[in-house]
Amino acid sequence: MADTSKPDAEPIEAAPPVPSASGVTEPMVQPPASAVRSGKGGGMMRNSAIFSGLTLVSRLAGFARDIVITAALGGSVGPAADAYNTALNFPNLFRRIFAEGAFAAAFVPAYARTLEKDGEAVADKVATDALAAVAFATVALTIVAQLTMPWLMTVINVGFLDDPARFKLAVILTQITMPYLPCMAIAALLSGVLNARGRFIVSGAYPILLNLIMLAAVIPARGDQIGAAYAASWAVLAAGVSQAGLCWWAARRAGANIRLALPRLSPPVKAIIITAIPAAVGNSATQINVFISGNLASFVAGGRTWLATADRLYQLPLGLVGVAIGIALLPRLSRAVASKDHDQQQRSMDEAVTLSMALTLPAAAALMAMPYFLIDALFTRGAFLAFDAANTARALFQFGWGVPAFVLIRILAPAFFARGDTRTPMKFALVSVAVNAALAFGLFALMGVPGLAAAVSGAAWTNALLLGGALWRRGLYRPGAAALSRLARIAAASAGLAVVVGIAASLRPVIEAPVADLLAVLGTSHGAKEISLLLVTGAGGLVYVALAFLTRAVTVAEVRGLIRRSR
């Protein structure tokens, strides 16, 4: 699960990241070395907004992709959907560990520090060695996985053993998609190089390639579930190669002299690996939990697809908010720790927590208040039936109450990483994995697939509370009174949003009827539920904004200040 900035009035120094953005929009003039190391820009909010804006474009393209693929592959009918979701999720499990765990906590700070202290040539040598190491490791892992995939599948999806067609198709499709892993690991490292050099566009935009390539591949294959599954899987591989190539071009264009080389364990690479191992385990706990849940879900026809479809919606606030603010927070907090600026440490954490919850709590409220409305309007079409939508909505509700915890983990973990402590988050992550496993087996027996989503949310809250408790006990971070007051007002505004959209969801036929009549006058019978969802979510958003101002969770002065800083 995604990771540059300084206080609002200060210039941004070399900004470490994991999926973020990099600047190669226009014909580019190579900046002077001082500019490379210090950068330009606003504060955490602005850098988060850059990443979030690009991520939003990617997620919108991703929704279009998911709608087309879900309609083409279906849910519980036939083997295609579950097999494809296995093929997509297995390399993604490792992608998120390598790209969003280890790099965020290990490579990015190491590269940024070297760039700051020793200059571009030395930093690029570190990046060259790190690239060779990660490419070697992920290619080797891919080869082993390819050769052992039939045996691995018996571990990944125990439930598929009773369905030979699903099992065989899942093996073949996962072998097709597995080379996506080294492509994404390489792209993530180069994304970190770009961000550390103050470039924030390409590494935030390159995920869009995946969505566009998959759309282009699947649309012609609609009507053939198995054919569409193959098309989508080959598109994943093609997109991975394209994304790595784009990030390589952007890094070279930005002036990074990174070369292809044989792997060697240089001292900086050894230090990165030592730091990355616990960080990878800690930051990937959510992915391990999802892996456990997916394995249990394989016992239910369509279970993997229901979880995967719900996952796409609850990951939206995590990608737009948690990852983006985590990216902005880590380097800013690292600088404050290095300079022993305790006031700045407190301000950074308070701002990150309140800003993330101002964007996350309303999203969680909407996911819980109208889960079926969301799933049905977005995905029920083609081979994805109302039965699939109902089961997906139950899972989405259980994911919904865990969303704030997923985001808080992204905010609280950098407080340890900035101090060079990757072991504490790893220990807490392992505890949360154990909690998830215990809850998953128990709740799956009681509730079925929605119980697996509830277990993931429960484990996420365990992790977040452990992280927050450790920071509190060590005196490293305790939310200030102003932050706590603001959080209470944000929660009140979010509750108001939940009431409005919940009532609207219960009155859905009343809302859809006039929309359908208007569309009929315009000569079409399609689009009523989608337009109704837009109307309801828009109304809910307006209610939240109004309540946020009324409760002073947000003030006009702050909005004006943000606009001035952005300008």
Side-chain angles (χ1 to χ4, degrees):
M1 292 155 7
D3 308 335
T4 80
S5 154
K6 230 182 176 285
D8 293 335
E10 301 174 353
I12 300 176
E13 292 184 271
V18 162
S20 240
S22 99
V24 232
T25 45
E26 305 145 4
M28 195 172 210
V29 178
Q30 178 60 33
S34 60
V36 169
R37 287 190 291 272
S38 64
K40 298 282 181 185
M44 185 192 306
M45 193 173 291
R46 182 187 173 193
N47 291 331
S48 299
I50 292 172
F51 178 79
S52 295
L54 291 165
T55 302
L56 178 60
V57 174
S58 176
R59 294 300 171 113
L60 291 175
F63 269 127
R65 176 202 74 190
D66 292 338
I67 289 169
V68 170
I69 290 177
T70 303
L73 302 184
S76 55
V77 178
D82 281 348
Y84 161 74
N85 280 298
T86 296
L88 187 63
N89 290 338
F90 188 64
N92 265 329
L93 171 69
F94 293 100
R95 175 185 70 84
R96 286 169 176 166
I97 292 172
F98 277 99
E100 296 169 15
F103 288 169
F107 169 73
V108 172
Y111 181 82
R113 283 195 303 269
T114 307
L115 188 68
E116 181 73 24
K117 293 180 180 179
D118 303 317
E120 297 178 57
V122 177
D124 289 344
K125 178 61 177 172
V126 171
T128 294
D129 291 341
L131 179 64
V134 78
F136 176 81
T138 52
V139 168
L141 179 60
T142 298
I143 292 172
V144 171
Q146 298 285 51
L147 296 175
T148 60
M149 193 59 68
W151 295 274
L152 279 175
M153 195 57 62
T154 63
V155 177
I156 301 169
N157 287 310
V158 179
F160 284 13
L161 295 175
D162 295 330
D163 188 339
R166 273 201 303 170
F167 182 88
K168 181 179 179 181
L169 184 60
V171 168
I172 296 171
L173 296 185
T174 308
Q175 286 175 323
I176 293 171
T177 60
M178 195 62 201
Y180 181 69
L181 170 61
C183 294
M184 282 301 91
I186 290 168
L189 186 144
L190 295 171
S191 170
V193 169
L194 286 163
N195 286 352
R197 288 172 164 266
R199 310 301 173 99
F200 305 103
I201 297 175
V202 166
S203 59
Y206 76 80
I208 300 171
L209 276 178
L210 173 69
N211 302 319
L212 297 179
I213 291 172
M214 292 185 73
L215 275 172
V218 173
I219 288 175
R222 287 179 300 173
D224 175 6
Q225 285 179 287
I226 303 298
Y230 273 101
S233 299
W234 281 113
V236 169
L237 177 54
V241 174
S242 301
Q243 290 171 313
L246 175 63
C247 289
W248 176 270
W249 170 83
R252 299 287 293 185
R253 184 76 181 271
N257 186 24
I258 299 174
R259 297 170 288 102
L260 297 176
L262 293 174
R264 68 186 190 94
L265 286 177
S266 63
V269 171
K270 288 180 183 177
I272 290 170
I273 292 173
I274 291 170
T275 305
I277 291 172
V281 175
N283 264 16
S284 63
T286 298
Q287 306 312 317
I288 296 171
N289 291 338
V290 171
F291 170 76
I292 294 171
S293 301
N295 205 326
L296 289 172
S298 69
F299 286 94
V300 179
R304 263 196 168 276
T305 302
W306 301 336
L307 278 181
T309 305
D311 177 88
R312 288 161 192 156
L313 280 180
Y314 94 78
Q315 285 284 343
L316 183 61
L318 176 58
L320 291 177
V321 181
V323 172
I325 295 178
I327 288 169
L329 176 63
L330 179 56
R332 177 178 181 178
L333 196 56
S334 297
R335 289 191 296 272
V337 170
S339 63
K340 302 188 185 322
D341 188 341
H342 300 291
D343 290 340
Q344 182 58 49
Q345 294 173 38
Q346 179 73 30
R347 285 196 301 271
S348 296
M349 290 297 296
D350 277 349
E351 182 183 353
V353 170
T354 55
L355 175 59
S356 65
M357 290 301 101
L359 299 171
T360 300
L361 289 180
L367 293 178
M368 296 179 68
M370 55 173 189
Y372 182 74
F373 194 175
L374 285 164
I375 296 297
D376 185 52
L378 291 170
F379 295 107
T380 304
R381 57 181 50 78
F384 195 82
L385 309 176
F387 172 76
D388 299 312
N391 283 284
T392 303
R394 295 187 188 103
L396 180 61
F397 176 86
Q398 300 298 340
F399 278 135
W401 59 269
V403 165
F406 299 132
V407 172
L408 282 172
I409 291 168
R410 293 287 187 176
I411 305 304
L412 298 176
F416 295 92
F417 298 151
R419 295 169 171 84
D421 180 4
T422 57
R423 294 184 179 275
T424 299
M426 181 193 72
K427 293 175 184 176
F428 294 157
L430 292 176
V431 171
S432 75
V433 169
V435 169
N436 177 76
L439 289 176
F441 284 102
L443 295 178
F444 181 65
L446 291 173
M447 304 166 59
V449 172
L452 300 176
V456 171
S457 291
W461 274 112
T462 300
N463 197 350
L465 291 173
L466 287 171
L467 289 169
L471 291 173
W472 183 287
R473 288 193 307 274
R474 298 177 187 181
L476 299 177
Y477 174 61
R478 297 177 181 180
L484 290 172
S485 173
R486 175 160 296 186
L487 287 173
R489 285 174 276 160
I490 290 169
S494 300
L497 177 149
V499 170
V500 170
V501 298
I503 293 173
S506 67
L507 299 175
R508 182 179 170 186
V510 177
I511 297 171
E512 285 187 9
V515 176
D517 291 342
L518 176 60
L519 291 173
V521 171
L522 297 175
T524 179
S525 59
H526 302 289
K529 62 182 182 180
E530 293 85 355
I531 293 174
S532 299
L533 177 63
L534 287 174
L535 293 174
V536 170
T537 52
L542 291 174
V543 167
Y544 175 71
V545 170
L547 290 174
F549 278 108
L550 285 173
T551 60
R552 296 186 63 78
V554 176
T555 66
V556 175
E558 288 169 339
V559 174
R560 287 175 178 167
L562 174 60
I563 293 171
R564 282 197 299 268
R565 289 196 297 270
S566 298
R567 287 175 178 170

